[in-house]
């Protein structure tokens, strides 16, 4: 590889292309070429910047929460402030980080490439969805800076509609706008996957990452509008005291919860399904095997999307709903675990007798496997009505969802960022540091959140800033806060070395992992329109046996040199 | 949705359009009149039944779902209705089975 | 202008001026636009669906009060508006047919008629809203619904709180519907301008088709709103 030619400083993020070849990063320069781009890859990077920003904001609130909980007394902030801290942490992390994260960054970047298309079906709508996200984000920032919200991210009525005097309407509007962004992304993906697959790319040859994003998009499309209209009702109720959710006027607060959770439960599947898609790609590549049970994994994604809409009231078991309905929802909640379990079994079976390589993406995938399983199983605890009564609104719930959201979704996101970083940036990240960071994240995560299972089971309530009536909980809280610090370090490291790699990293080959998938048949980074010629697909997905075989020239295997071991040094 | 300019029905869709239009107006009139007749709990069923009929006619013939070249269009319509019914139905399992008023 | 130059990309393009570069051919573009609109309409079904859910719950709980409140809105105006929208759906399909068969005049006339009927709908809605305002049936500080008899039970009066819930849903549901109508008028104005400029041909008139789909959907929502809001219990 030739040495990178030193380039004069440009107004763009400093990216020195290793060769003079034109790619999507250097095709055009100037701020407006980014802000008015319709290239799905550039939009993916715009999203990357924005969601990283909000990840820091949400993380900052988490830091303050953990600092407060170091001591039993409420001595860092006042109670009202603490309410705002956990609310803003939740709202920012859910709506402005987790929900967009993988679909908007990795999905936007990869979906067209994986199916052999030049772009998404509606590139301008793609750009619009980023702008909507940014507008929603700015509104949320403004809301936070001028007082914030204190209802919890779930903004239950009638507290949110009648009693709190924090900025519910503004926050709701911000979420409404960001939700519209989410809907448009889902719309784009569904139409793209249906209409823009390259010749020969049948449904059964699609990477499972695509199936996962398709299922995610269905949820985004059908669930988000319901929470959007709920926000409208909350705003109307606040403004006019309509009584829709006010018991004094004949309204039912539980109706709010039904409408809210009808979206917000499927929303958690929006957050985890793409991550499952990423993990599938990584496990296949770093075991050098086809995914075991392709159809099962594909259909389980759809099943999760559909079943996910059937279980929402398990968030309301102790709220006053009908016990008979609770029984139904409890049963359905057990059912929804099945497709997720199917995936875990298939991943495990894929690993079996595979040629395992422990590069950083794979370390994140392993982390995902263990932590998602724990998170998912604890979900079953919560679905049992009897246990639910005991652990609702305790740290058990907090630990459960953080295991899935952070141990699952964020690990998958980081694994995916590492896996596709060479393709996105044209550079290799430093593998040693990446493995170290993965280990730090894993250790930090468990140290943060495993004590919370114990705390919750022993009765520590969530959303309390003061636990001085239970000072025996302090030791576990201290462990948790220590873990959060370690976790923070683990998250900072990739930011540092990814940025470092953009300037100083080794230039990446087209396919550093010798991975299957159309995206790896393009240069790193790819040209603006992805493929010089429309690909024609004649091979099955995950054709690792062909890729690692001695026969060059077999369909799908046109690697310039055969290599069995992924090279990323 | 693509209109095939050489398929048989496109020769004179006008008759069909005006026919559907007239049917819709007649059904509207029936709905209106039936509301003033005492039918007990069937009033709601009649009104909603006719509304569903009208909506179906609009979807099938004005929105061309009937002649849609792809099953996908029909699938999208069915999926939307399915999830709507899920929202309404499962929510009502709570409200219909609360033993207290 | 899309960013970046193209490296060696050559596809047989039909060189249709409306063909966007990332599509392989016009059929793919048309099919994508159509699917996109249908998927969007599915999201709209769920958007209104949340309101229908709230309506269903409270109608189930407060049927007599809902009946009393429903009786106080003008069913004749509601029925008229239903007829107006049905006529506008007819003019929409005529517009699409005109675009398909290169009948520019009919296309323009149909689009104008559609917009006029849409404006008539909004006008009638405005009259209804004003009626409600005058009668103090608009939820909020000045709402009052005292001593209104429950239909079929002359000795019973409707609960004003529950009636206010009905009117809340009435205004939110019809208001959201009216907002969609206004957006529809905007879309059709844009279609009208494009049609006037002669941009639509039998080969390419996708905006008319998908604009039409949107309009029909708004019509279908009203088809359900009418009986649910206006005709709960009308028999004397």
């Amino acid at each position: 590889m030739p040495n990178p030619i030193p380039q004069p400083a440009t107004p763009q993020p400093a990216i020195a292309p290793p060769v003079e070849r034109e790619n999507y990063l250097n095709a055009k320069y100037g701020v407006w070429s980014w802000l008015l781009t319709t290239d799905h890859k550039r939009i993916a990077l715009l999203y990357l910047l924005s969601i990283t920003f909000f990840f820091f904001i949400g993380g900052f609130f988490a830091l303050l929460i953990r600092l407060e909980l170091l001591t039993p007394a409420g001595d860092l902030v006042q109670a009202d402030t603490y309410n705002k801290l956990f609310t803003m942490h939740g709202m920012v992390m859910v709506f402005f980080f987790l929900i967009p994260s993988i679909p908007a960054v990795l999905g936007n970047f990869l979906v067209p490439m994986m199916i052999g298309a030049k772009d998404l079906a509606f590139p301008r709508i793609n750009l619009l969805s980023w702008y909507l996200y940014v507008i929603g984000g700015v509104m949320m920032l403004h809301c936070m800076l001028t007082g914030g919200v204190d209802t919890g991210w779930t903004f239950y009525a009638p507290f949110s509609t009648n009693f709190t005097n924090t900025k519910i309407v503004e926050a709701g509007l911000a979420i409404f706008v960001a939700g519209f962004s989410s809907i448009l992304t889902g719309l784009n993906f569904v139409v793209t996957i249906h209409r823009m697959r390259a010749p020969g790319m049948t449904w059964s040859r699609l990477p499972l990452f695509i199936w996962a994003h398709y299922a995610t998009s269905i949820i985004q499309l059908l669930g988000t509008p319901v929470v959007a209209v709920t926000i409208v009702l909350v705003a109307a109720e606040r403004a006019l005291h309509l009584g829709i959710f006010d018991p004094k006027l004949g309204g039912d607060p539980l109706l709010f919860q039904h409408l809210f959770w009808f979206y917000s439960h499927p929303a958690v599947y929006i957050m985890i399904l793409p991550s499952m898609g990423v993990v599938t790609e990584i496990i296949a590549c770093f075991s050098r095997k086809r995914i075991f049970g392709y159809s099962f994994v594909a259909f389980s994604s759809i099943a999760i999307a559909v079943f996910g809409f059937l279980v929402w009231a398990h968030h309301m078991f102790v709220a006053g709903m009908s016990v008979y309905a609770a029984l139904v929802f409890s049963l359905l909640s057990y059912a929804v675990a099945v497709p997720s379990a199917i995936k875990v079994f298939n991943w495990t079976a894929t690993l079996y007798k595979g040629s395992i390589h422990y590069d950083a993406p794979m370390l994140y995938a392993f982390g995902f496997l263990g932590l998602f399983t724990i998170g998912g199983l604890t979900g079953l605890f919560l679905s049992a009505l009897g246990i639910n009564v005991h652990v609702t609104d305790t740290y058990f719930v907090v630990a459960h969802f953080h295991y899935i959201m952070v141990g699952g979704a964020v690990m998958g996101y980081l694994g995916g960022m590492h896996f596709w970083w060479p393709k996105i940036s044209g550079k290799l990240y430093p593998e040693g540091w990446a493995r170290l960071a993965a280990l730090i994240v894993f250790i930090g995560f468990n140290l943060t959140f495993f004590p919370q299972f114990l705390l919750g089971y022993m009765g520590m309530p969530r959303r309390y800033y003061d636990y001085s009536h239970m000072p025996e909980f302090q030791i576990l809280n201290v462990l948790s806060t220590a873990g959060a610090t370690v976790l923070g370090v683990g998250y900072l490291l990739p930011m540092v070395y990814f940025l470092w790699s953009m300037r100083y990293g080794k230039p990446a080959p087209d396919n550093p992992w010798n991975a299957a998938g159309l995206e790896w048949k393009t240069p790193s980074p790819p040209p603006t329109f992805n493929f010089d010629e429309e690909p024609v697909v004649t091979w099955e997905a995950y054709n690792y046996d062909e890729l690692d075989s001695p026969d060059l020239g077999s369909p799908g295997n046109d690697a310039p040199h055969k290599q069995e071991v992924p090279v990323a040094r | 949705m693509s209109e095939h300019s050489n398929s048989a029905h496109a020769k004179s869709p006008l008759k069909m359009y005006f026919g559907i239009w007239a049917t819709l107006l007649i059904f509207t009139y029936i709905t209106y009149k039936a509301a003033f007749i005492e039918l007990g709990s069937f009033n709601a069923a009649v009104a909603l039944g006719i509304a569903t009929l009208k909506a179906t006619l609009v979807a099938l013939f004005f929105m061309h779902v009937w002649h849609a070249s792809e099953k996908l269009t029909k699938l999208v319509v069915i999926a939307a209705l399915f999830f709507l019914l899920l929202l309404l139905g499962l929510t009502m399992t709570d409200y219909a089975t609360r033993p207290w008023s | 202008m899309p960013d970046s130059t193209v490296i060696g990309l050559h596809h047989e393009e039909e060189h249709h001026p409306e063909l966007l570069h990332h599509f392989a051919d016009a059929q793919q573009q048309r099919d994508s636009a159509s699917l996109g609109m249908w998927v969007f309409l599915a999201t709209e079904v769920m958007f209104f669906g949340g309101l229908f859910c709230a309506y269903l719950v409270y109608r189930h709980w407060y049927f007599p009060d809902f009946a009393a409140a429903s009786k106080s809105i003008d069913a004749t105006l509601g029925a008229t508006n239903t007829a107006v929208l049905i006529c506008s759906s007819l003019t929409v399909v005529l517009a699409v047919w005109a675009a398909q068969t290169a009948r520019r005049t009919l296309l323009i006339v149909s689009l104008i008629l559609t917009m006029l009927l849409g404006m008539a709908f909004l006008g009638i809605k405005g009259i209804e809203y004003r009626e409600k305002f005058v009668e103090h049936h608009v939820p909020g500080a000045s709402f009052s619904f005292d001593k209104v008899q429950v239909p079929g039970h002359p000795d019973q009066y409707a609960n004003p709180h529950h009636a206010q819930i009905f009117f809340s849903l009435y205004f939110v549901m019809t208001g959201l519907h009216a907002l969609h109508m206004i957006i529809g008028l905007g879309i059709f104005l844009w279609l009208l301008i494009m049609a006037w400029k002669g941009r639509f041909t039998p080969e390419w008139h996708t905006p008319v088709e998908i604009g039409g789909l949107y309009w029909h959907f708004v019509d279908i929502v009203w088809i359900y709103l009418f009986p649910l809001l206006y005709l709960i219990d009308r028999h004397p």
Side-chain angles (χ1 to χ4, degrees), chain A residues 265-403:
Chain A
H265 185 82
V268 315
Y269 297 108
I270 297 176
M271 299 187 252
I272 197 64
L273 269 170
S275 199
M276 292 171 160
V278 168
V279 164
T280 308
E281 301 298 317
I282 292 175
I283 286 186
C285 177
F286 292 94
S287 342
R288 313 305 302 168
K289 274 182 75 182
R290 289 179 192 269
I291 286 290
F292 185 91
Y294 175 98
S295 333
F296 275 89
V297 180
F299 287 124
S300 70
S301 295
I302 305 294
I304 289 174
V306 175
F307 282 33
F309 276 98
L310 305 181
V311 303
W312 77 84
H314 65 224
H315 299 269
M316 301 161 55
F317 284 158
V318 300
M321 65 179 289
S322 148
V323 156
Y324 307 104
L327 274 171
V328 170
F329 278 102
S330 173
L331 183 63
L332 289 168
S333 303
Y334 272 86
V336 79
V338 172
S340 295
I342 287 177
K343 284 188 194 283
V344 174
F345 298 147
N346 280 292
W347 289 321
T348 311
T350 307
L351 289 169
Y352 179 65
K353 290 201 173 166
S355 170
I356 312 286
H357 301 280
Y358 293 93
D359 300 85
M362 190 57 153
L363 293 182
Y364 283 109
F366 275 126
F368 178 102
L369 270 187
L371 300 177
F372 170 74
T373 302
I374 294 176
L377 288 175
T378 52
L380 289 175
F381 287 26
L382 287 159
S383 302
L385 290 172
I387 300 182
N388 188 281
V389 172
H390 178 66
V391 293
T392 286
D393 278 338
T394 67
Y395 264 86
F396 191 90
V397 178
V398 175
H400 155 74
F401 65 71
H402 281 94
Y403 260 78

Side-chain angles (χ1 to χ4, degrees), chain B residues 1 58 62-64, chain C residues 30 32-38 40-41 44 88-97 99 107 110-111 114-115 180-192 194 200 204-220:
Chain B
M1 168 199 77
V58 171
F62 281 178
M63 298 171 87
H64 303 107
Chain C
R30 184 167 50 238
S32 297
S34 169
L35 179 61
M37 178 50 78
W38 275 108
F40 176 70
L41 293 180
E44 293 275 61
S88 76
S89 271
L90 175 68
T91 55
V92 164
V93 290
L94 290 177
V96 174
W97 179 73
L107 171 60
S110 303
L111 291 174
T114 307
M115 291 179 65
H180 280 78
M181 277 303 304
I182 294 170
I183 293 171
L185 285 176
I187 292 173
F188 271 71
L189 179 63
W190 177 69
L191 291 178
L192 182 61
M194 296 247 284
F200 297 128
W204 185 80
H205 51 274
T206 312
V208 182
E209 288 179 341
I210 64 177
L213 287 179
Y214 175 83
W215 192 276
H216 290 305
F217 170 77
V218 177
D219 183 14
I220 288 178

Side-chain angles (χ1 to χ4, degrees), chain A residues 22 37 121 195 244 250 252 528, chain C residues 3-5 21-22 28 58 62:
Chain A
E22 183 174 301
T37 184
R195 295 286 188 227
I244 295 185
D252 186 15
T528 301
Chain C
D3 56 351
S4 179
T5 56
H21 66 275
H22 59 286
Q28 191 186 52
Y58 288 124
Y62 304 137

Side-chain angles (χ1 to χ4, degrees), chain A residues 232-233 236 240 242 244, chain C residues 48 51 55 69 72-73 125-140 143 163-179 222 225 229-230:
Chain A
V232 169
L233 286 176
L240 300 168
L242 303 175
I244 295 185
Chain C
F48 280 96
L51 295 176
Y55 169 91
S72 78
I73 52 182
K125 206 89 221 81
I127 294 173
E128 288 184 75
Y129 278 5
R130 200 182 156 276
E131 254 180 43
K132 291 293 103 189
F133 179 74
V134 161
E135 291 171 2
H136 290 280
H137 288 168
V138 177
F143 180 84
Q164 183 174 236
I165 293 182
F166 172 86
F167 284 109
S168 307
L169 290 169
Y170 168 80
F171 277 105
V172 174
M173 292 170 94
T174 60
L176 198 62
H177 178 264
L179 178 64
W222 182 262
L225 286 182
L229 293 173
Y230 291 79

Side-chain angles (χ1 to χ4, degrees), chain A residues 22 27-28 33 37 39 42 118-124 183 187 191 194-196 221-222 225-226 228-229 233 240-244 249-252 255 259 262 527-529 531-532 534, chain C residues 1-9 11 20-24 28 31-33 35-36 39-40 42-43 46-47 50-51 53-54 57-58 61-62 139-140 161-162 164-165 168-169 172 176:
Chain A
E22 183 174 301
K28 257 191 179 183
S33 79
T37 184
D39 178 359
R42 286 193 168 199
K118 286 191 240 177
D119 207 310
L120 289 176
F122 307 118
R124 288 169 294 190
I183 289 174
L187 192 149
V191 177
H194 272 286
R195 295 286 188 227
M196 316 235 336
L221 288 166
L222 294 170
V226 177
V229 86
L233 286 176
L240 300 168
H241 301 292
L242 303 175
I244 295 185
L249 299 176
D252 186 15
L255 177 63
L259 293 175
F262 182 84
T528 301
F529 292 110
F531 300 98
D532 290 334
E534 186 180 50
Chain C
M1 206 40 217
D3 56 351
S4 179
T5 56
V6 170
I7 310 168
L9 256 170
H11 283 263
L20 296 170
H21 66 275
H22 59 286
F23 286 114
Q28 191 186 52
D31 289 344
S32 297
L35 179 61
V39 168
F40 176 70
T43 73
M46 298 311 290
F47 192 51
L51 295 176
C53 184
V57 167
Y58 288 124
W61 268 9
Y62 304 137
H161 292 318
H162 303 169
Q164 183 174 236
I165 293 182
S168 307
L169 290 169
V172 174
L176 198 62

